[in-house]
């Protein structure tokens, strides 16, 4: 199986050595890996560094090619050029600011060989920040793939033509993903194949170009894959996010440049919608500016644990063999391998053994039929008694773990070994089920069920579903298991009892999904059933003396300031630095060719404003003398003067003195000048206006 690894470089010298070095350490036949670097006319030492790497590593790989592009045509165009240069079985689109794990190619090959013929593309998992978009935890199917690291069948690359080259950057991966799906193919996530991706310098970082490109790209995708209503909805969404765009001159400039590209190609996009999308069964989902539901904890720093605690996953089931099969399938995808599965079946006529047997060669699994109708609590306690590991957790037969669930739990245990309970975030899915067949269902909506979690949350209500927790088995041995008189809220009662004797650790990342009824009637019935047991749990609370302090409560409202203290002199220096940046930007605009050649266009409206402003003020004074009778006329004059001011700013704002103007005046000038008609008409984009990732 041969892979053509296609990378785009643009002033990327600092990333290249680590990327190539990691590829050279791959536990794979390197002669089956061909490297293609499409350089988008870099102005730094990128070409020199690539040539040095070629001298060092070319003989190890099948091919090592440097493809010099005549201009910076964007990520998609460069990627296509690299892909067309190769002839391997698979095209591997890969960002240059990455370092692949040694076993990633082996994991990819295993996933490809196992996949159906309709699966065309395979996406790797990214460290430290896994892409938060949802994927099916049972099939691993995903709605779109990240352009940072995915493998595509060459035949499908040729069928689609690759990336849409009218997209400079951002959104091109979603576009290609949807094109592939419109042709009837599937996309698969491969969480076992991992690469480091240095995409963010810090958690939660928002990149100006990414924000601008994503919003413009959203309109492009609506033009290519949506109907007229989808396109009109974009304008409403844009109005909501407009203040964030206008907050930065850099974002404004980038946004309008990319928006022009979309409008220039709109006719071509609508033809694609009519010719390719409409005849297909593909129907995309536009969730505001997102393309898929995002799991909580996007900036959880993923890493592999050094220690390997062993888990027992207790699966309670009752007469639902096919649902059980899907739950066990989700366990087969766990990236952490040191765990056992214990299936405990309730009921007098157990029938799940054949399902369990089908997984014996894929999971370390045991089957425990109780041969009696005992109920969920007694079945859970039997599972806890039969568990043979230090750490245990539950996964009911209609819920699922995402692939990294146990891996994150192992990391929590390693980081906070003194805790007894370990908890992660989860996804609540409103689920519509076929009344004739519980195996047929679909999700109507999803939401992240918890954000930050504090100890006090456990005493005000049950904040977590049962599958979101791992606990030490010794807690069960010392303080017991489920209260068998409860048929609901038994997990909440268990958490409160354990937390009176042990502390808990929490990772905000959503690593599991559980179902609730979609229709309000069923949901209400479920809620009423649970409510029957609330009084019983409340009465039990009297005996739970929790180790909760005043600081636990006060800490919800106040935390010590972790920021370094800045004295008055430092504040003045910071303010002066910011002002100097603004002054330099204003001077740069004033000295630019665009600003000089548009002087005649701007001066005429401003002279008109001076004349009308002077005449208008005299007229207003006369009206004020004549009295209230002329109030409406006065208001009209004021609106007219405001309109002239707006028109002048639209043509091009008046130029402030950068040495004496206030901060707000400089900021407004920068924003308005770059958004003015004069600037947009005469300012030409250059290859330095945008950079590839």
């Amino acid at each position: 199986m041969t892979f053509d690894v296609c990378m785009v470089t643009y002033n990327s010298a600092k990333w290249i050595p680590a990327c190539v070095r990691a590829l050279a350490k791959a536990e794979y036949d390197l002669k089956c890996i061909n490297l293609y670097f499409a350089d988008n006319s870099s102005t730094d030492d990128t070409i020199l560094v690539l040539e040095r790497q070629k001298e060092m590593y070319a003989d190890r790989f099948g091919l090592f090619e440097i493809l010099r592009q005549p201009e910076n045509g964007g990520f998609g165009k460069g990627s296509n050029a690299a892909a067309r240069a190769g002839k391997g079985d698979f095209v591997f689109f890969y960002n240059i600011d990455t370092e692949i794990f040694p076993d990633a190619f082996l994991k990819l090959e295993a996933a490809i060989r196992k996949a159906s013929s309709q699966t065309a593309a395979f996406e790797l998992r990214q460290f430290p920040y896994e892409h938060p978009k949802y994927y099916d935890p049972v099939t691993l199917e995903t709605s779109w793939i990240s352009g940072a690291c995915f493998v595509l069948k060459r035949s499908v690359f040729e069928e689609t033509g690759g990336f849409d080259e009218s997209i400079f950057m951002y959104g091109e991966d979603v576009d290609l993903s949807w094109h592939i799906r419109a042709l009837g193919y599937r996309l698969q996530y491969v969480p076992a194949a991992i690469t480091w991706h240095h995409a963010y310098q810090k958690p939660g970082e928002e990149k100006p170009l990414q924000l601008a490109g994503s919003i413009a790209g959203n309109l492009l995708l609506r033009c290519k894959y949506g109907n007229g209503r989808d396109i009109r909805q974009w304008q409403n969404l844009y109005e909501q996010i407009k203040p964030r765009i206008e907050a930065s001159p850099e974002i404004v400039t980038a946004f309008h440049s990319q928006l022009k590209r979309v409008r220039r190609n709109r006719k071509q996009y609508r033809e694609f919608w009519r010719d390719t999308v409409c005849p297909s069964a593909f129907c995309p989902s536009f969730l505001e500016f997102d393309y898929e539901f995002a799991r909580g904890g996007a900036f959880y720093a993923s890493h592999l644990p050094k220690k390997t605690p062993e888990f027992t996953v207790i699966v309670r089931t009752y007469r639902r063999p096919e649902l059980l099969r899907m739950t066990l399938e989700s366990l087969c995808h766990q990236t952490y391998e040191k765990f056992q599965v214990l299936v405990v079946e309730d009921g007098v006529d157990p029938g799940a053994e054949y399902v369990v047997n089908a997984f014996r060669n894929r999971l370390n699994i045991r089957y425990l039929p109780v041969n009696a109708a005992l109920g969920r609590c007694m079945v859970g306690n039997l599972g806890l008694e039969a568990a043979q590991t230090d750490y245990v957790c539950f996964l009911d037969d209609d819920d699922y773990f995402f692939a990294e669930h146990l891996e994150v739990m192992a990391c929590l245990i390693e980081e906070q070994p003194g805790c007894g309970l370990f908890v992660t975030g989860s996804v609540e899915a409103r689920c519509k089920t076929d009344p004739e067949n519980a195996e047929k269902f679909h999700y109507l909506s999803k939401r992240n069920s918890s954000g930050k979690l504090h100890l006090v949350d456990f005493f005000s209500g049950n904040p977590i579903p049962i599958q979101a927790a791992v606990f030490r088995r010794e807690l069960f041995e010392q303080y017991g298991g489920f209260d068998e008189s409860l048929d609901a809220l038994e997990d909440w009662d268990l958490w409160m009892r354990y937390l009176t004797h042990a502390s808990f650790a929490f990772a905000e990342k959503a690593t599991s999904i559980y179902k609730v009824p979609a229709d309000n009637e069923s949901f209400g019935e479920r809620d009423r059933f649970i409510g029957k047991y609330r009084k019983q749990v409340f009465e039990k609370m009297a005996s739970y003396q929790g180790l909760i302090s005043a600081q636990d409560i006060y800490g919800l409202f106040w935390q010590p300031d972790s920021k370094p203290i800045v004295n008055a002199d430092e504040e003045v220096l910071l303010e002066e630095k910011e002002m100097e940046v603004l002054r330099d930007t204003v001077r740069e605009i004033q000295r630019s060719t665009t600003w000089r050649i548009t002087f005649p266009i701007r001066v005429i409206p401003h002279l008109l404003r001076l004349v009308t402003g002077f005449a208008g003020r005299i007229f207003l004074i006369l009206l004020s003398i004549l009295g209230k009778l002329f109030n409406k006329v006065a208001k009209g004059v004021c609106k007219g003067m405001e309109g002239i001011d707006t028109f002048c700013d639209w043509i091009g704002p008046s130029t402030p003195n950068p040495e004496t103007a206030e901060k707000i005046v400089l900021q407004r000038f920068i924003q308005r000048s770059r958004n003015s008609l004069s600037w947009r008409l005469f300012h030409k984009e250059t290859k330095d206006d945008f950079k590839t990732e």
Side-chain angles (χ1 to χ4, degrees), residues 137-168:
V138 178
T139 65
L140 299 181
E141 189 170 350
T142 184
S143 60
W144 65 276
I145 44 181
S146 168
C149 49
F150 76 93
V151 170
L152 179 63
K153 290 181 179 178
R154 178 164 288 281
S155 59
V156 179
F157 167 76
E158 292 170 354
E159 188 175 355
T160 59
F163 290 107
D164 183 338
E165 296 184 6
S166 71
I167 307 173
F168 187 85

Side-chain angles (χ1 to χ4, degrees), residues 78-90:
S79 295
N80 287 346
R84 290 173 188 136
K87 295 181 180 178
D89 303 323
F90 293 90

